[in-house]
């Protein structure tokens, strides 16, 4: 009996050392002096080998009770902050690896459950969600050094973050949020869209299993497996949830803002494009096709309506046909709009009908008795600026194009169509004056020149990306720092070594 115990103890010590060494990047951490707090990474593992596990054992983030989910996420978060940054990076990298290595099967699962968007883009979107997200490398410390010593400003975690994800990218948003939030030292409880709940729960299970096997922490990413509006509201108001991160349309943003706690809101957009008379028309058409057709126009940053100066209108329409978009006549555009869009719901903006969101172009064309060539990725056609397709965030591959007398009129109509969401706007122009004029007036979070809207979120443009662009509350493209609180550490009259 004693021998077995000895072996067990030796195995445990070996495992602990392995963890500690990984945590310190291969180097053994310093021994603390008498009375000092235990070193960050080793302390947690020795003191709490069950870190993040609930009394019910391994849950791997699967919950039907908000109270239990928040409790488990809080336990996991307390364990996480006792580990090194290197270990946080390991957790983030495990999520990235799962998104990349299992992109095909998870993407297919997402499509089979949600039934929206273009299947081949599902896996790509998941892998990209992992690739574009910033991790621990983005955590920064600001320092002030002077006669009165040293002051550090550090970005600390909030604790448990309540997360809402959209049906348009269920698992990609969860993965992307999880990487940012864990890098910053938080855990999360997610209420996914009910139509994307299974893939969200399955993804969370894979993430938690991998993290638990490597680091011994379970439930960093908790998901409500039966999400409802009620469970969302419970998360919004739960005292154990420190802040909220909301990605969705106007209804959920409004609901979260009433919750009485800070909400980082990545709300709706309706990105307009302006094409002026100086633009490279072929490039404009290629970019518009790429952006508006991607995943059947589900992305919030994708082109939703185009305003073209009349002198280049015909050339632009021809260029769109040349790049493979299918032109519908005005009657078909108006008819399709009546079929696919609900006008002015509750006094708000027109809204896409759920059954047509993310539908394939040939399915939409069939509604107006049009057959499009196989491989067609986008329908487009001339409308006036009041068209339901212009005013609604249609999230389907049908693009309205409006003829404008002047550049200024095009920008005014673009401004009106964006509805003040402050999300994304795009211009195709060779004139810097025009770019500046439109950029100032639109006042959007992303303003893209001469590329597809996707480039604004680093998908073909420079910089980093996120699947939660907090346009509604102003934090912008989210990063780990978005999910931190500023803390100050002050040493008075000492430690300045110069
Ligand atoms: P949606 O608003 O219908 O649902 C989003 C989420 O909110 C879902 O989980 C849903 O269950 C929940 N929800 C909806 N109403 C709620 C309420 N009253 N109380 C609590 N929870 C509620 O949106 P969707 O169709 O899933 O996603 C598309 C929308 O999300 C578009 O408007 C798009 O622009 C936006 N979006 C924005 C970003 C961004 O980064 N800004 C990214 C992706 C999607």
């Amino acid at each position: 009996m004693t021998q077995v115990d000895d072996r067990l103890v030796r195995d445990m010590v070996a495992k602990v050392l392995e963890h500690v060494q990984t945590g310190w990047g291969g180097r053994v951490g310093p021994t603390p002096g008498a009375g000092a707090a235990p070193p960050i990474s080793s302390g947690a593992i020795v003191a709490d080998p069950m870190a993040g596990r609930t009394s019910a054992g391994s849950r791997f983030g699967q919950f039907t009770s908000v109270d239990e989910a928040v409790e488990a996420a809080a336990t996991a978060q307390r364990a996480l902050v006792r580990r090194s940054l290197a270990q946080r990076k390991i957790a983030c990298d495990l999520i990235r690896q799962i998104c990349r290595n299992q992109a095909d099967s998870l993407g297919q699962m997402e499509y089979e459950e949600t039934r929206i968007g273009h299947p081949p883009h599902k896996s790509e979107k998941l892998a990209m969600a992992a690739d574009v997200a910033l991790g621990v490398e983005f955590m920064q410390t600001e320092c002030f050094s002077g006669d009165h010593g040293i002051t550090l400003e550090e970005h600390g975690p909030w604790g448990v973050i309540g997360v809402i994800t959209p049906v348009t990218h269920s698992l990609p948003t969860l993965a992307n949020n999880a990487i940012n939030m864990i890098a910053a030292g938080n855990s999360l409880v997610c209420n996914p869209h009910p139509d994307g709940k299974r893939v969200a729960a399955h993804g969370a299970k894979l993430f938690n299993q991998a993290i638990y096997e490597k680091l011994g922490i379970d439930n960093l990413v908790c998901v409500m497996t039966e999400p409802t509006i009620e469970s969302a509201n419970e998360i919004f108001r739960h005292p154990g949830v420190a802040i909220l991160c909301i990605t969705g349309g106007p209804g959920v943003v409004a609901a979260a803002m009433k919750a009485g706690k800070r909400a980082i809101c990545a709300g709706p957009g309706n990105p307009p494009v302006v094409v002026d008379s100086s633009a490279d028309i072929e490039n404009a058409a290629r970019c518009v096709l790429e952006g508006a057709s991607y995943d059947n126009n589900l992305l919030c940053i994708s082109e939703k309506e185009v305003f073209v100066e009349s002198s280049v209108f015909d050339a632009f329409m021809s260029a769109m046909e040349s790049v493979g978009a299918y032109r519908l006549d005005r009657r078909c555009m108006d008819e399709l709009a009546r079929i696919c869009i609900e006008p002015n719901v509750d006094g708000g903006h027109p809204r896409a009908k759920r059954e047509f969101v993310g539908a394939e172009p040939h399915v939409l064309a069939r509604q107006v008795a049009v057959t499009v060539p196989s491989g067609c990725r986008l329908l487009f056609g001339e409308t006036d600026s009041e068209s339901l397709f212009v005013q609604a965030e249609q999230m389907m591959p049908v693009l309205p194009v409006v003829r404008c007398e002047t550049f200024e009129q095009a920008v005014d109509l673009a401004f009106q169509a964006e509805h003040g969401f402050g999300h994304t706007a795009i211009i195709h122009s060779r004139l810097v004056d025009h770019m500046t004029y439109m950029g100032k007036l639109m006042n959007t979070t992303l303003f893209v020149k001469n590329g597809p809207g996707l480039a604004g979120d680093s998908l073909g443009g420079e910089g980093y990306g996120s699947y939660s662009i907090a346009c509604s509350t102003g934090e912008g493209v989210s990063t780990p720092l978005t999910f931190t609180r500023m803390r100050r550490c002050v040493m008075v009259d000492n430690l300045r070594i110069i």
Side-chain angles (χ1 to χ4, degrees):
M1 195 62 196
T2 312
Q3 277 177 344
V4 172
D5 282 350
D6 284 349
R7 204 172 58 231
L8 273 177
V9 169
R10 267 201 309 278
D11 285 348
M12 276 179 66
V13 169
K15 274 199 177 128
V16 167
L17 280 175
E18 186 191 314
H19 279 305
V20 172
Q21 284 174 3
T22 322
W24 284 87
R27 180 172 57 81
V28 177
T31 310
I40 278 187
S41 52
S42 58
I45 292 167
V46 173
D48 183 11
M50 300 289 282
R53 295 182 89 176
T54 65
S55 49
S58 298
R59 298 286 291 263
F60 299 130
Q62 315 292 295
F63 291 91
T64 50
S65 147
V66 169
D67 281 338
E68 284 178 22
V70 173
E71 192 193 331
T75 308
Q77 195 268 338
R78 282 194 295 274
L80 182 70
V81 289
R82 290 174 57 79
R83 304 295 178 85
S84 62
L85 279 174
Q87 290 188 358
R88 278 192 213 172
K89 181 174 183 312
I90 289 172
C92 296
D93 286 348
L94 288 167
I95 297 175
R96 291 186 210 271
Q97 276 162 25
I98 289 166
C99 292
R100 286 182 197 126
N101 298 346
Q102 301 188 42
D104 286 345
S105 58
L106 292 171
Q108 192 180 341
M109 190 175 171
E110 171 121 6
Y111 179 73
E112 277 166 11
E113 183 179 8
T114 61
R115 287 278 156 203
I116 58 174
H118 187 52
H121 291 157
K122 294 296 173 195
S123 47
E124 206 174 275
K125 227 169 47 170
L126 182 61
M128 280 186 324
D131 287 341
V132 300
L134 290 172
V136 290
E137 73 285 355
F138 203 64
M139 297 300 291
Q140 297 161 1
T141 300
E142 284 85 41
C143 178
F144 303 85
S145 168
D147 293 344
H148 288 298
I150 302 261
T151 292
L152 298 180
E153 285 193 334
E154 302 208 89
H155 300 266
W158 280 97
V160 179
I161 302 181
V163 168
I164 298 283
T165 50
V167 69
T168 45
H169 344 284
S170 181
L171 184 55
T173 309
L174 178 65
N176 189 271
N177 283 177
I179 293 169
N180 278 180
M181 291 170 186
I182 291 171
N186 303 288
S187 61
L188 51 141
V189 174
C190 175
N191 203 64
H193 192 291
D195 293 347
K197 66 183 180 186
R198 282 196 296 277
V199 69
H202 180 66
K205 191 175 200 173
L206 297 177
F207 301 158
N208 287 308
Q209 273 171 336
I211 295 169
Y212 183 69
E213 274 164 29
K214 193 83 179 173
L215 299 177
I217 306 178
D218 191 11
N219 299 318
L220 280 173
V221 185
C222 296
V223 169
M224 302 310 297
T225 53
E226 295 301 335
T228 58
I229 296 280
E230 289 69 38
S231 59
N233 280 310
E234 242 187 286
I235 292 173
F236 292 172
R237 289 178 174 75
H238 200 290
V241 172
I243 58 166
L244 304 172
C245 175
I246 309 296
T247 307
V252 66
V253 168
M257 299 279 231
K258 291 188 201 129
K261 60 181 59 145
R262 181 166 169 225
I264 295 158
C265 295
N270 193 29
V273 185
V274 166
V275 180
D276 79 6
S277 54
S278 75
D280 175 338
I281 299 296
E282 278 70 37
N283 181 58
R286 273 194 306 274
C287 294
V288 167
L289 175 81
E290 182 185 339
S293 67
Y294 192 78
D295 204 18
N296 290 342
N297 207 347
L298 284 184
L299 273 67
C300 58
I301 50 178
S302 289
E303 289 78 354
K304 298 289 190 292
E305 59 277 332
V306 188
F307 301 93
V308 185
E309 250 189 285
S310 60
S311 59
V312 290
F313 184 87
D314 293 336
F316 178 76
M317 298 302 264
S318 303
M320 287 297 290
E321 285 184 289
S322 303
V323 293
Y326 188 91
R327 185 170 182 173
L328 297 177
D329 63 24
R330 232 174 212 270
R331 190 192 57 77
C332 282
M333 286 296 283
D334 292 346
E335 180 62 13
L336 195 54
R338 268 194 298 278
I339 293 169
C340 299
I341 313 280
E342 293 177 63
N344 295 325
V345 185
D346 306 329
H349 304 298
R351 199 166 61 182
K353 290 186 189 164
R354 174 71 174 88
E355 66 264 40
F356 298 110
V357 168
E360 292 287 350
H362 70 269
V363 173
L364 295 164
R366 212 165 46 217
Q367 306 302 314
V368 287
V370 170
T371 305
V372 295
S374 70
C376 166
R377 299 291 330 126
L378 184 69
L379 310 175
F380 78 108
E382 183 173 357
T383 68
D384 60 38
S385 63
E386 293 309 309
S387 161
L388 293 175
F389 274 135
V390 172
Q391 299 301 323
E393 185 191 19
Q394 77 270 35
M395 294 184 280
M396 59 189 86
V398 185
L399 195 69
V401 187
V402 179
R403 187 190 295 264
C404 303
E405 285 311 309
T406 60
F407 166 70
E408 287 76 11
Q409 186 196 24
V411 176
D412 283 350
L413 292 175
F415 179 73
Q416 186 277 328
E418 215 271 331
H419 303 311
F421 292 140
H423 199 300
T424 297
I426 299 141
I427 187 171
H428 288 274
S429 171
R430 288 188 174 100
L431 300 175
V432 171
D433 288 355
H434 278 190
M435 297 174 191
T436 310
Y437 175 88
M438 181 172 169
K440 283 190 177 171
L441 187 93
M442 294 302 300
N443 200 18
T444 46
T445 305
L446 307 182
F447 181 48
V448 178
K449 275 82 66 186
N450 299 328
L454 299 166
D457 201 26
S458 90
L459 309 171
E462 285 301 325
Y464 55 86
S466 164
Y467 281 29
S468 296
I469 300 166
C471 54
S472 317
T473 45
E475 292 83 357
V477 181
S478 54
T479 74
L481 295 182
T482 309
F483 306 106
T484 59
R485 49 193 278 268
M486 183 71 90
R487 297 184 56 196
R488 201 173 247 218
C489 183
V490 181
M491 167 61 101
V492 181
D493 291 344
N494 220 324
L495 256 190
R496 181 174 153 91
I497 58 164
I498 53 172

